[in-house]
Amino acid sequence: MQLLFLGAPGAGKGTQCKMLGEKLALKHLSSGDLLREAVKQGTEAGIKAKSFMDKGNLVPDEVLIAMFEEVLSGASVASGSLGSSGTKPLAKTGFILDGFPRNPAQAKALDDLLEKLDTRLEKVINLKTSDELLEERITGRRVCPNKECNAVFHVKFQPSRRDGICDQCGTELNHRSDDKPEVVKQRLSVYREQTAPLIEYYDGKGLLVTVDGEGAPEEVFNKLLEVLKVACQK
């Protein structure tokens, strides 16, 4: 199964992708994780990406697409570390895309890449949530800065046992700068302007499935499984 998740920041894409990947034995491919892995492994696309990242610039679309081609085709060391199944590339064994594409131009480039790899998206899941809940989820998030831990908590939904202290390693938790209220509003504005048009794009292709993203992670996951089951039977 080849899936793509859409949803605003804070919609819970990462959580649901991880749970679904474990349930269906599919590889969760987060664009951020892939970039870091490609840079770490020194792949061709990773080296190009690093040259932009080191200067604080956005990685161009063509470099991102090259990175996804490396991973989905099984041509890079990074794809192996991320776990291709047997000798078959991820393009054939199945995957879940998260965080890419972010705009219609990237979506068209992804279409061309998947066609080149003789595969296609089976479904695109849109996690729908209210702006009020998104802001509450993001602004209340606290993260452990210890790179060997990276635990995530929430002041309301998943508080640490000791206020402001990581349960896992005892490190003082951080409130990331991009999780502050004023920045969150800007992130949501950028999402609506640049990424939300993908909902219409994939709906026009008959691939879109909308899932209510409000509720506890387990509740959303059960909705997701049911909707996917029905959609894939059509």
Side-chain angles (χ1 to χ4, degrees):
M1 187 177 289
Q2 290 79 11
L3 304 174
L4 165 64
F5 269 71
L6 297 177
K13 297 187 298 298
T15 297
Q16 295 303 321
C17 287
K18 181 179 179 181
M19 294 170 69
L20 190 63
E22 292 174 353
K23 176 74 173 180
L24 303 181
L26 297 174
K27 300 305 173 185
H28 173 202
L29 303 180
S30 160
S31 58
D33 289 345
L34 288 184
L35 270 173
R36 287 185 286 272
E37 187 68 26
V39 170
K40 177 182 177 182
Q41 297 293 343
T43 70
E44 183 176 349
I47 292 171
K48 291 179 180 178
K50 188 175 186 299
S51 67
F52 291 94
M53 295 164 68
D54 286 348
K55 297 175 184 176
N57 296 327
L58 292 175
V59 178
D61 288 356
E62 60 268 22
V63 177
L64 288 174
I65 283 293
M67 177 189 70
F68 274 97
E69 181 171 6
E70 286 179 344
V71 174
L72 292 176
S73 68
S76 73
V77 178
S79 67
S81 65
L82 287 162
S84 56
S85 178
T87 58
K88 293 184 179 180
L90 293 180
K92 298 298 184 182
T93 60
F95 55 83
I96 304 174
L97 295 181
D98 169 21
F100 185 88
R102 292 182 181 273
N103 56 56
Q106 291 182 352
K108 291 181 174 64
L110 177 63
D111 288 343
D112 292 341
L113 171 60
L114 295 180
E115 183 178 0
K116 177 180 177 180
L117 298 176
D118 192 28
T119 190
R120 63 183 180 83
L121 292 174
E122 189 169 340
K123 289 296 171 186
V124 175
I125 298 97
N126 175 42
L127 287 180
K128 187 176 181 180
T129 49
S130 68
D131 281 3
E132 292 76 15
L133 179 58
L134 293 173
E135 290 187 30
E136 184 179 31
R137 283 179 175 176
I138 299 173
T139 57
R141 186 163 52 193
R142 300 294 184 271
V143 298
C144 178
N146 180 354
K147 294 182 179 180
E148 295 182 0
C149 180
N150 291 322
V152 180
F153 300 88
H154 193 281
V155 295
K156 178 179 179 180
F157 303 123
Q158 190 181 355
S160 56
R161 290 189 295 270
R162 295 167 57 199
D163 186 33
I165 302 298
C166 177
D167 291 345
Q168 307 298 325
C169 68
T171 302
E172 185 176 354
L173 298 175
N174 277 357
H175 189 195
R176 296 187 334 192
S177 59
D178 58 345
D179 286 347
K180 300 293 178 65
E182 61 277 11
V183 180
V184 170
K185 290 184 182 299
Q186 176 61 23
R187 290 171 64 191
L188 292 177
S189 176
V190 170
Y191 169 78
R192 285 191 290 269
E193 179 181 339
Q194 298 184 10
T195 307
L198 292 179
I199 296 172
E200 182 177 353
Y201 178 83
Y202 285 114
D203 190 32
K205 289 178 171 290
L207 296 174
L208 190 74
V209 177
T210 297
V211 175
D212 182 0
E214 303 197 6
E218 294 76 13
E219 295 173 348
V220 176
F221 186 60
N222 287 332
K223 296 176 193 174
L224 176 61
L225 289 179
E226 186 60 30
V227 168
L228 272 179
K229 178 181 177 183
V230 172
C232 291
Q233 286 176 344
K234 291 181 179 179

